[in-house]
């Protein structure tokens, strides 16, 4: 199988302008720590209507500094969705905190606000309330943030939105990233995500103190803001390390690519929505559950996960390799985080979060990305029909 005929589940779209903007940086004075990272941060703020953005070398790093800025440490607990990429949980472990999960809503596959309410009630009795909850906007569709924010106010936890899939999406009247119902929102710019900076991420907030703290953490814990110094500045060379930080900086090359891609965000999301509508039309008579589109949100459509009928789901290994052999780069999003050996070693078991596990048994992700052609999409649809016919007869 040649790479030409292989259709991945997701991939970047790079224009000549994107390439030019990176080349321009290569010819400039700064490959890192120059002006473009700040420009990218400002453009992100404007795009999603947030006050502050801190660019980082990945969403994983951004999640880590977001947890630290909110004071997460040993003895604390962070809750997230089991139906996510492992980074949504690992960020809390980096801080020495415990992780727990809230089961998903079987319709949206997002962290379920009702399950959260129930779990909080029990946790309060046991005096084990979470310090931070990290809802994940799975496949690009926002969680029910208003309900989660009401619980945050009632129980006193902070919220980090893991919006790695969701830049360009909306929740009610707000762009995802506006932090209207959260303390911090994190984006990923990995190539399979909505826009890319190769590797990269960002943390957005409307809270100045959190922004300063996160900016400091991506630069080794160093501040150059004189008002923040704890000792008198002896001269302009002076900087202070006030806390233990990291080298989580984004480079100028990454920021230039991200900045250029950001101008194409609306075009990307519109194209994804077109592809979704074509899938909905072409697959409507097939025994597949297509992803539910909630009326309170507009999804950025990072992923197109479909649920297989039970008989095919029971043979998902063969189903999956059948599609792969036809050149369809299907994937599975996600293996429930709590079932990973690392998390099982912390005491989690199969059966702990049944909705996420049932969903996992049946789900398969089909290709959806801006440059997917109609011919390729037709091939995806005919291959999935062909595979289904092998099981349903
Ligand atoms: C991709 C992803 C991340 C991690 O993003 P990186 O930029 O690769 O570190 C975190 N959370 C979710 C939900 C993701 O999909």
């Amino acid at each position: 199988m040649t790479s030409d005929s292989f259709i991945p589940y997701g991939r970047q779209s790079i224009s000549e302008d994107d390439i030019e903007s990176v080349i321009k940086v290569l010819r400039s004075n700064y490959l890192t720590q120059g002006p473009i990272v700040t420009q990218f941060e400002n453009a992100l703020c404007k795009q999603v209507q947030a006050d502050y953005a801190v660019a980082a070398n990945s969403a994983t790093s951004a999640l880590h500094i977001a947890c630290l800025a909110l004071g997460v440490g040993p003895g604390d607990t962070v809750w997230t969705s089991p139906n996510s990429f492992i980074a949504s949980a690992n960020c809390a472990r980096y801080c020495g905190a415990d992780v727990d999960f809230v089961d998903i809503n079987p319709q949206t596959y997002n962290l379920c606000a009702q399950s959260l309410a129930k779990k909080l009630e029990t946790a309060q009795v046991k005096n084990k309330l979470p310090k931070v909850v990290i809802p994940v906007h799975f496949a690009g569709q926002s969680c029910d943030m208003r309900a989660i924010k009401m619980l945050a106010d009632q129980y006193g936890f902070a919220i980090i939105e893991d919006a790695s899939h969701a830049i360009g999406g909306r929740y009610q009247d707000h762009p995802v990233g506006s932090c209207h119902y959260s303390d911090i929102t994190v984006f990923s710019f990995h190539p399979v995500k909505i826009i890319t900076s190769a590797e990269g991420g960002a943390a957005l907030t409307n809270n100045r103190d959190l922004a300063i703290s996160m900016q400091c953490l991506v630069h080794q814990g160093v501040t150059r803001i004189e008002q923040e110094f704890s000792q008198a500045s002896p001269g302009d060379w002076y900087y202070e390390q006030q806390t233990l930080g990291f080298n989580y900086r984004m480079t100028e090359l990454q920021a230039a690519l991200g900045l250029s891609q950001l101008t194409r965000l609306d075009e990307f999301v519109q194209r994804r929505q077109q592809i979704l509508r074509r899938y909905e039309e072409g697959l409507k008579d097939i025994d597949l559950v297509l992803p539910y589109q909630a009326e309170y949100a507009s999804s950025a459509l990072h992923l197109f996960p479909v649920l297989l009928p039970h008989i095919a789901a029971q043979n998902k290994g063969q189903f999956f390799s059948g599609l792969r052999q036809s050149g369809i780069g299907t994937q599975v999003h996600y293996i429930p985080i709590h079932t990973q050996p690392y998390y099982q070693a912390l005491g989690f078991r199969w059966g702990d979060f049944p909705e996420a596990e049932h969903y996992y048994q049946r789900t398969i992700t089909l290709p959806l990305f801006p440059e997917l052609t109609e011919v390729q999409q037709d091939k995806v649809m005919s291959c999935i029909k062909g595979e289904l016919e092998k099981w349903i007869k």
Side-chain angles (χ1 to χ4, degrees):
M1 173 171 29
T2 70
S3 59
D4 278 352
S5 66
F6 187 75
I7 307 170
Y9 81 85
R11 64 157 287 159
Q12 70 276 15
S13 164
I14 300 296
S15 68
E16 285 307 313
D17 284 351
D18 292 339
I19 292 167
E20 278 309 311
S21 60
V22 175
I23 290 173
K24 216 168 123 192
V25 170
L26 279 170
R27 298 187 199 284
S28 78
N29 290 330
Y30 298 100
L31 300 186
T32 188
Q33 294 186 280
I36 315 284
V37 168
T38 310
Q39 281 176 36
F40 183 42
E41 289 171 338
N42 293 340
L44 282 169
C45 286
K46 193 157 170 240
Q47 180 74 39
V48 304
Q49 295 166 20
D51 291 340
Y52 307 95
V54 177
N57 58 6
S58 72
T60 304
S61 305
L63 286 165
H64 183 191
I65 58 165
C67 286
L68 288 173
L70 289 166
V72 172
D76 293 326
T77 306
V78 172
W79 292 1
T80 188
S81 170
N83 182 34
S84 186
F85 185 55
I86 47 179
S88 307
N90 289 349
C91 57
R93 298 294 299 154
Y94 299 152
C95 306
D98 293 326
V99 169
D100 202 352
F101 301 93
V102 181
D103 211 350
I104 61 168
N105 175 306
Q107 189 175 36
T108 63
Y109 319 143
N110 272 332
L111 183 148
C112 174
Q114 278 88 8
S115 305
L116 176 61
K118 267 198 215 132
K119 197 174 171 100
L120 286 163
E121 248 175 66
T122 318
Q124 188 168 44
V125 176
K126 294 187 189 154
N127 207 9
K128 282 196 142 175
L129 286 170
K131 179 146 192 162
V132 173
V133 173
I134 307 181
V136 180
H137 303 322
F138 177 72
Q141 176 161 267
S142 176
C143 296
D144 186 0
M145 291 310 300
R146 230 156 87 99
I148 295 169
K149 176 65 171 142
M150 273 165 60
L151 292 166
D153 292 340
Q154 185 182 345
Y155 289 95
F157 58 83
I159 300 174
I160 301 171
E161 295 173 70
D162 184 343
S164 293
H165 300 180
I167 191 170
R170 296 182 73 84
Y171 172 71
Q172 294 180 342
D173 301 328
H174 305 278
V176 170
S178 67
C179 301
H180 197 77
Y181 296 106
S182 67
D183 297 278
I184 297 170
T185 301
V186 168
F187 294 131
S188 171
F189 309 123
H190 181 279
V192 295
K193 307 292 165 75
I194 307 288
I195 62 168
T196 189
S197 62
E199 294 278 1
L204 288 94
T205 183
N206 295 324
N207 180 313
R208 185 171 178 273
D209 292 339
L210 289 176
I212 289 172
S213 165
M214 292 192 290
Q215 198 62 258
C216 184
L217 286 163
V218 297
H219 298 278
Q220 309 278 4
V222 159
T223 182
R224 291 177 184 275
I225 306 172
E226 190 160 357
Q227 295 91 302
E228 303 287 321
F229 290 165
S230 57
Q231 301 167 44
S233 168
D236 284 349
W237 68 84
Y238 189 68
Y239 57 84
E240 271 187 5
Q241 185 196 349
Q242 298 179 333
T243 181
L244 187 62
F246 309 87
N247 181 350
Y248 279 173
R249 287 186 302 264
M250 177 178 273
T251 68
E252 292 283 284
L253 298 163
Q254 291 169 310
L257 181 54
L259 192 58
S260 180
Q261 287 258 304
L262 193 59
T263 64
R264 306 172 63 205
L265 175 62
D266 294 342
E267 168 204 327
F268 286 158
V269 174
Q270 275 167 25
R271 177 72 192 122
R272 285 174 179 274
Q273 278 164 353
Q274 261 176 8
I275 295 168
L276 172 74
R277 284 193 291 272
R278 208 158 168 276
Y279 268 136
E280 285 176 337
E281 182 56 32
L283 297 172
K284 67 172 188 266
D285 301 322
I286 312 298
D287 192 9
L288 281 180
V289 180
L290 303 190
Y292 169 76
Q293 304 299 316
E295 76 290 344
Y296 57 73
S298 166
S299 175
L301 290 170
H302 166 50
L303 299 173
F304 184 62
V306 300
L307 299 193
L308 300 177
H310 290 284
I311 177 74
Q314 279 154 15
N315 298 282
K316 196 156 88 174
Q318 277 165 278
F319 197 93
F320 189 93
S321 44
L323 285 175
R324 281 277 174 117
Q325 274 153 24
S326 318
I328 312 296
T330 179
Q331 253 306 347
V332 172
H333 298 94
Y334 284 98
I335 304 165
I337 299 175
H338 67 281
T339 68
Q340 294 290 350
Y342 173 79
Y343 284 94
Q344 290 212 34
L346 296 173
F348 295 100
R349 291 290 173 263
W350 281 102
D352 286 350
F353 303 98
E355 295 294 352
E357 295 171 26
H358 290 153
Y359 162 77
Y360 167 61
Q361 305 298 350
R362 289 184 63 190
T363 195
I364 201 159
T365 299
L366 299 181
L368 197 169
F369 53 89
E371 291 182 6
L372 185 72
T373 64
E374 293 199 348
V375 173
Q376 287 176 318
Q377 193 177 9
D378 289 342
K379 180 177 170 192
V380 173
M381 291 195 280
S382 77
C383 286
I384 190 127
K385 286 174 195 172
E387 285 301 318
L388 279 171
E389 272 165 17
K390 290 186 191 165
W391 301 104
I392 305 161
K393 254 195 192 155

